[in-house]
Amino acid sequence: MGENGDIARRGLDVFLRRSYEEAQRLCSADVELTTLFDDPGGEPEFSGRDGLKQWFERLEELWAFVEVRDVEIEELDGGWVLMRVAARVRGRGSRDEFEPRVAVAVCVTDGLITKFGLFPLESDALALIAAG
C-alpha cells in the first residue's frame, strides 16, 4: 500500500474511533465529507473544520459502535483511494447488530485528506471520485 492508501486507512480508523483531534491533523482545513445519505454528485453536507466537528457529532448520535472487520484498499489516479469495508455496527438505542459492506472514497492531497465519502454502494463512491 502506498502513502495515500496509508493516510486513507488512518483516516478511516480515526473517524471510527471518533478522535476529532486526530482527524483535524489528518484533514485539510477545507475538507469535504459526504455521508451515506448524501448525493455522491452533489454538494457535501459537511465541509471545513465546522463540518468536520458536525460529522463527529453525527457519528456519536447515530452509532453505539462501529467495528471494521475487513478493508480492501485500492489506490486510484488523482490522489483517490477506494476502500471496500466490511463492518459490524450497532445503532445508538438499538440492541441489534448488523454487518454492512460500505465503500469509502478518500482524496489525499499533499498528505492531507481533502475529501472523504462513505457510501452503501461502490458505484456511489466511484461517482464521487468521478466528480472529482
Side-chain angles (χ1 to χ4, degrees), residues 28-50:
S28 67
D30 60 348
V31 66
E32 296 178 355
L33 303 142
T34 307
T35 70
L36 291 166
F37 312 108
D38 297 331
D39 175 11
E43 292 296 315
E45 184 175 352
F46 303 101
S47 62
R49 293 292 183 212
D50 289 340

Side-chain angles (χ1 to χ4, degrees), residues 102-120:
V102 296
V104 181
V106 181
C107 187
V108 178
T109 306
D110 297 327
L112 294 174
I113 295 172
T114 56
K115 294 184 181 186
F116 187 99
L118 178 66
F119 301 99

Side-chain angles (χ1 to χ4, degrees), residues 67-128:
E67 174 185 286
V68 171
R69 297 288 188 151
D70 186 47
V71 178
E72 178 186 321
I73 298 173
E74 182 179 353
E75 293 191 42
L76 306 171
D77 293 335
W80 283 99
V81 177
L82 175 65
M83 293 187 284
R84 297 168 187 95
V85 179
R88 186 173 70 116
V89 301
R90 186 177 78 232
R92 188 145 318 276
S94 174
R95 289 186 274 173
D96 298 326
E97 295 178 5
F98 61 104
E99 296 187 3
R101 291 191 153 300
V102 296
V104 181
V106 181
C107 187
V108 178
T109 306
D110 297 327
L112 294 174
I113 295 172
T114 56
K115 294 184 181 186
F116 187 99
L118 178 66
F119 301 99
L121 302 173
E122 185 173 324
S123 60
D124 290 337
L126 292 171
L128 177 66

